[in-house]
Amino acid sequence: MRPREQADSLCRRIEAAGGRALRFPVIAIGPALDPGPLEAIVPRLDEFDLAFFVSPNAVDHAMQFILPRRAWPPSLRLSTVGKGSERVLHGYGFADVIAPQSGFDSEAVIALPEFAPDAVAGRKVLIFRGDGGRELLADTLRERGASVDYVTCYRRYCPDLDPELLLQPVARGEVDALLLTSSEGVRNLEQMLGADGLAALRPVTVFATHPRIVAQAHAAGFAHVVEAPAGDDGLMQALENHFG
């Protein structure tokens, strides 16, 4: 139930392990509705000390816009959270990326030595993100003496999919697990299925990749929720442990 763009690698691994992967994305990704802020930041990149990317989508939408227009400033360091985002940055030719090696959320980022108060005080940080999101990273950086600017470079929205694409396989007993990787995705799933559809889905075991997502899944009425490590490796290990 990841965005379609991020689902293929995990689906291939599930199928290689003998399972069947049903794609039913509950978040869709598109360019920012207003490209103005992204356009405005291109000539100002040299003003910043650190650029942070909240997701692989942030990397792709920012870099595909910026790099045809100018070279990346050598003095502007890059940071992100999650192995997926780090791999995407490497794909654009950036080898020196600041990222946590364990933990895949804002808490893991602000625990890095590069984000300690004495490291960020007086620094200018640029955060590339979608439309909205958690404020913890920016709030913490400001408390530690940094200045922070946001740039919205993509948008997330609820896909317009036929619920029967999911509900029919569920009714036939063909769905053993749901993989949910964001709280927003859980909320979108509720919207897409409606009360009756969600009720039909609740007996299925949910694998969620963060305590916040676990809590959101419980709030949606799912009784069987397994917290799994983030990333493809963690999800595959959780599935193998559960189903043997």
Side-chain angles (χ1 to χ4, degrees):
M1 293 191 172
R2 287 174 169 174
R4 191 177 300 277
E5 296 84 353
Q6 274 79 60
D8 283 347
S9 63
L10 180 58
C11 289
R12 287 194 297 268
R13 291 187 62 171
I14 290 171
E15 289 160 357
R20 179 188 170 206
L22 174 65
R23 291 164 172 82
F24 190 81
V26 293
I27 296 178
I29 302 296
L33 292 176
D34 178 11
L38 195 50
E39 291 175 351
I41 208 65
V42 171
R44 295 183 53 218
L45 290 177
D46 303 270
E47 300 174 16
F48 295 90
D49 301 294
L50 178 67
F52 182 84
F53 300 83
V54 303
S55 68
N57 289 308
V59 176
D60 276 333
H61 282 83
M63 291 301 179
Q64 288 171 15
F65 190 93
I66 292 168
L67 295 182
R69 292 165 171 80
R70 62 163 297 169
W72 191 262
S75 61
L76 180 53
R77 301 195 69 186
L78 299 93
S79 180
T80 191
V81 58
K83 294 297 183 182
S85 301
E86 192 173 1
R87 282 193 296 271
V88 177
L89 281 169
H90 290 165
Y92 284 99
F94 299 101
D96 184 18
V97 178
I98 302 167
Q101 298 307 300
S102 61
F104 302 99
D105 53 18
S106 297
E107 288 83 354
V109 173
I110 59 180
L112 292 170
E114 291 89 348
F115 285 81
D118 59 349
V120 299
R123 302 293 185 179
K124 297 186 69 173
V125 181
L126 183 60
I127 297 179
F128 291 97
R129 67 173 183 173
D131 44 356
R134 297 180 76 199
E135 302 289 338
L136 176 64
L137 177 61
D139 289 347
T140 302
L141 288 171
R142 288 171 179 140
E143 290 170 1
R144 294 177 177 180
S147 64
V148 180
D149 284 16
Y150 280 122
V151 178
T152 297
C153 55
Y154 70 98
R155 66 186 178 102
R156 300 181 298 270
Y157 58 97
C158 187
D160 183 16
L161 290 180
D162 183 354
E164 293 302 317
L165 294 173
L166 177 59
L167 295 177
Q168 287 184 4
V170 169
R172 294 192 297 264
E174 298 172 358
V175 177
D176 300 299
L178 299 176
L179 308 185
L180 295 170
T181 56
S182 76
S183 300
E184 181 183 3
V186 180
R187 294 189 292 271
N188 286 355
L189 182 64
E190 295 181 81
Q191 177 182 332
M192 295 165 76
L193 299 185
D196 291 343
L198 196 66
L201 206 61
R202 285 188 178 121
V204 179
T205 299
V206 169
F207 290 79
T209 55
H210 194 279
R212 291 194 307 275
I213 309 170
V214 171
Q216 191 72 47
H218 281 307
F222 289 102
H224 310 291
V225 183
V226 177
E227 185 176 341
D232 290 2
D233 290 343
L235 280 166
M236 288 300 300
Q237 187 62 57
L239 288 169
E240 290 167 4
N241 290 344
H242 186 80
F243 293 110

